[in-house]
């Protein structure tokens, strides 16, 4: 048997995000016979840690939960983490000597764009370097065109939607750079999702009222703040409905819900280890995002036969056929509100889709493996 490829994969953490979940799904479906993999986390944290196959070695820079507050008692630890990571970023030889123990790698893989610069700074100059871009960077201020163009120093750039693919093609200055861009489909375990969706939960669907559901952490780009305001506007029009949010929500979000006095109809279900059974409580899935890369949750909603309403962000037009399995609207509050009003008044219940028949996890994993090989 040929020698195993030695691979270093880097990502921030394994918290509950699309990029993190996609990476772990990929790792669960590749062979330990072909690869020797080290996974380096900036922060040893997250719901997907236990899902990483045991044969993969996990290393980390810091350990513990992510600190999202600015409480006085948290500042020393928060500052230490930042300074420590910056030192290792500036002097990568220290990282490779004292944490990775002078290992040599055939491939170094940045599993998310935010870690790209770190991988390019690797002291191992002869390794193949691969970047996995999960976001539409066209309107992200910290990713300037010059910073994004530096990504062409990678041997391969994996992109997950047609929109991101075109964005990089437009930035490429040569055929050689264009050939580095590889359009892939994110690995998604459809069998696992369908099985998890059968788990019993305590809540029962209220068939007397139209209900929307959305799943995700309350980050600004998810647009939950505008969803609260739209919800209030629709209630003021006499359009009774409910919105369920599965995922962590900030205190600011909770205050907004209280401010609009919609606590009984805009319901925060909190973080759920298994969100899929909750889809059955809703008539529609709503994606209110301001920006995305490839919102895997839309695919999951379609797989679970939910009709999807989505703002026109990267990736949704790769999945939604307008009118058949969902509606894509301009990324404005007005258009989102009008579409929600239409669905509340409509008889549409389930998506007409064949997502589960069109997708192959094996093909997706094989595409990435071919690059590794």
């Amino acid at each position: 048997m040929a020698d195993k490829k030695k691979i270093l994969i880097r990502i921030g953490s394994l918290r509950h995000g699309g990029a993190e979940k996609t990476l772990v799904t990929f790792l669960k479906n590749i062979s330990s016979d072909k690869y020797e993999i080290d996974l380096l986390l900036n922060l040893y944290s997250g719901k997907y840690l236990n899902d990483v196959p045991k044969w993969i070695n996990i290393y980390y820079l810091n350990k513990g939960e992510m600190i999202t507050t600015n409480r006085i008692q948290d500042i020393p630890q928060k500052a230490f983490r930042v300074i420590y990571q910056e030192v290792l970023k500036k002097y990568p030889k220290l990282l490779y000597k004292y944490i990775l123990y002078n290992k040599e790698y055939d491939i170094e893989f940045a599993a998310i764009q935010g870690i790209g610069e770190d991988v390019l700074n690797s002291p191992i100059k002869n390794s193949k370097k691969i970047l996995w871009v999960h976001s539409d960077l066209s309107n992200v201020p910290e990713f300037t065109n010059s910073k994004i163009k530096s990504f062409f120093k990678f041997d391969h750039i994996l992109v997950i939607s047609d929109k991101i693919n075109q964005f990089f093609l437009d930035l490429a200055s040569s055929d050689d750079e264009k050939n580095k861009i590889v359009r892939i489909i994110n690995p998604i375990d459809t069998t696992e999702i369908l099985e998890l969706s059968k788990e019993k939960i305590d809540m029962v669907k209220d068939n007397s009222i139209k209900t929307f559901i959305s799943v995700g952490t309350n980050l600004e780009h998810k647009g939950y703040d505008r969803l609260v305001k739209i919800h209030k506007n629709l209630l003021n029009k006499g359009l009774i409905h409910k919105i369920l949010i599965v995922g962590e929500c900030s205190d600011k979000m909770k205050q907004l819900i209280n401010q609009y006095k919609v606590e009984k109809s805009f319901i925060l279900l909190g973080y759920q280890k298994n969100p899929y059974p909750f889809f059955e409580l809703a008539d529609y899935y709503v994606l209110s995002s301001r920006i995305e890369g490839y919102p895997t949750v839309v695919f999951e909603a379609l797989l679970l036969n939910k009709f999807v309403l989505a703002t026109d962000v990267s990736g949704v037009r790769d999945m939604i056929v307008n009118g058949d399995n969902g509606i894509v609207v301009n990324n404005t509050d007005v258009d989102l509100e009008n579409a929600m009003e239409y669905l509340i008044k409509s008889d549409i219940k389930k998506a007409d889709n064949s997502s589960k028949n069109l997708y192959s996890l094996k093909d997706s994993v094989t595409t990435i493996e071919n690059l590794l090989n």
Side-chain angles (χ1 to χ4, degrees):
M1 180 182 288
D3 290 342
K4 295 180 181 180
K5 293 274 187 183
K6 293 179 174 59
I7 303 173
L8 175 66
I9 299 177
R10 296 197 60 177
I11 195 167
S13 73
L14 290 179
R15 296 182 81 236
H16 37 284
E20 292 81 0
K21 181 177 182 179
T22 298
L23 172 62
V24 171
T25 300
F26 171 64
L27 293 176
K28 287 164 68 176
N29 287 277
I30 61 173
S31 172
S32 59
D33 295 333
K34 298 180 185 178
Y35 310 106
E36 182 181 311
I37 295 179
D38 290 346
L39 176 62
L40 176 60
L41 309 174
N42 285 354
L43 182 64
Y44 186 87
S45 171
K47 67 172 281 190
Y48 297 119
L49 278 172
N50 293 332
D51 294 329
V52 177
K54 300 303 179 189
W55 61 272
I56 292 173
N57 307 305
I58 301 180
Y59 298 89
Y60 56 87
L61 308 187
N62 290 293
K63 193 171 185 178
E65 291 306 308
M66 186 173 287
I67 302 172
T68 57
T69 64
N70 288 314
R71 297 182 305 176
I72 293 175
Q73 62 265 38
D74 293 332
I75 290 175
Q77 185 181 14
K78 196 173 184 178
F80 171 79
R81 287 179 178 179
V82 172
I83 294 168
Y84 181 55
Q85 285 182 204
E86 284 302 311
V87 168
L88 293 177
K89 187 171 185 172
K90 188 172 183 179
Y91 304 102
K93 287 183 179 179
L94 295 176
L95 166 65
Y96 281 72
K97 181 176 181 180
Y98 293 107
I99 295 178
L100 298 174
Y101 308 114
N102 289 319
K103 288 189 175 184
E104 291 292 326
Y105 296 103
D106 301 302
I107 298 166
E108 295 181 88
F109 195 155
I112 197 166
Q113 61 275 351
I115 218 93
E117 189 177 342
D118 302 71
V119 170
L120 287 177
N121 286 339
S122 165
I124 303 174
K125 299 306 177 187
N126 59 349
S127 65
K128 178 189 284 186
K129 293 180 174 64
I130 300 175
L131 174 67
W132 201 339
V133 178
H134 289 271
S135 296
D136 175 9
L137 304 178
S138 58
N139 291 305
V140 182
E142 60 265 35
F143 285 95
T144 61
N145 273 10
S146 60
K147 184 172 183 177
I148 297 169
K149 281 183 74 67
S150 72
F151 291 161
F152 286 105
K153 295 176 183 176
F154 281 89
D155 295 284
H156 298 296
I157 303 169
L158 311 188
V159 297
I160 60 174
S161 76
D162 291 341
K163 184 176 182 182
I164 300 173
N165 186 61
Q166 190 58 53
F167 173 71
F168 272 90
L169 286 173
D170 291 342
L171 278 180
S173 55
S174 67
D175 288 340
D176 181 54
E177 288 187 346
K178 288 180 180 179
N179 290 334
K180 292 183 176 187
I181 305 162
V182 183
R183 169 71 167 94
I184 66 165
I185 298 173
N186 270 349
I188 304 167
D189 192 335
T190 56
T191 303
E192 180 184 58
I193 292 166
L194 290 169
E195 193 60 36
L196 286 171
S197 70
K198 297 174 185 176
E199 184 180 304
K200 299 297 182 185
I201 56 175
D202 293 333
M203 297 180 69
V204 178
K205 185 178 185 315
D206 182 356
N207 290 309
S208 67
I209 184 171
K210 288 288 183 71
T211 303
F212 297 82
I213 192 168
S214 194
V215 180
T217 302
N218 174 222
L219 303 170
E220 184 182 356
H221 73 258
K222 292 295 182 184
Y224 290 153
D225 54 335
R226 66 177 176 181
L227 201 54
V228 175
K229 297 170 187 175
I230 289 170
H231 174 58
K232 181 64 173 179
N233 289 345
L234 293 170
L235 291 178
N236 288 341
K237 293 179 183 178
L239 297 167
I240 307 303
H241 66 290
K242 286 194 301 189
I243 297 179
L244 309 176
I245 303 292
V246 178
E248 290 181 358
C249 277
S250 64
D251 290 339
K252 185 177 179 182
M253 181 70 181
K254 293 170 186 174
Q255 290 166 5
L256 187 65
I257 292 169
N258 291 333
Q259 177 187 331
Y260 281 89
K261 296 182 171 57
V262 291
E263 303 93 330
K264 292 183 179 179
S265 53
F266 197 101
I267 301 167
L268 303 179
L269 298 177
Y271 164 73
Q272 301 291 336
K273 185 176 182 180
N274 177 11
Y276 303 114
F278 293 88
F279 282 67
E280 192 56 36
L281 301 174
D283 301 288
Y284 310 113
Y285 187 89
V286 58
L287 184 85
S288 54
S289 297
R290 294 182 171 93
I291 187 170
E292 288 283 352
Y294 184 91
T296 304
V297 70
V298 168
F299 180 91
E300 294 169 343
L302 294 172
L303 185 69
L304 298 174
N305 296 316
K306 293 294 115 179
F307 193 87
V308 176
L309 165 60
T311 48
D312 194 3
V313 290
S314 172
V316 296
R317 291 191 181 275
D318 300 347
M319 295 178 275
I320 294 176
V321 178
N322 251 334
D324 289 342
N325 57 6
I327 300 172
V328 181
V329 298
N330 292 329
N331 202 343
T332 68
D333 293 9
V334 171
D335 286 288
L336 186 58
E337 181 175 329
N338 288 341
M340 288 181 69
E341 179 173 344
Y342 166 75
L343 288 176
I344 293 168
K345 293 176 178 178
S346 80
D347 294 325
I348 298 171
K349 283 290 185 182
K350 288 194 174 183
D352 173 18
N353 73 82
S354 54
S355 306
K356 56 177 78 85
N357 300 320
L358 293 174
Y359 178 81
S360 166
L361 174 61
K362 183 180 178 181
D363 289 349
S364 179
V365 171
T366 300
T367 301
I368 302 172
E369 280 191 336
N370 288 340
L371 294 176
L372 299 180
N373 295 336

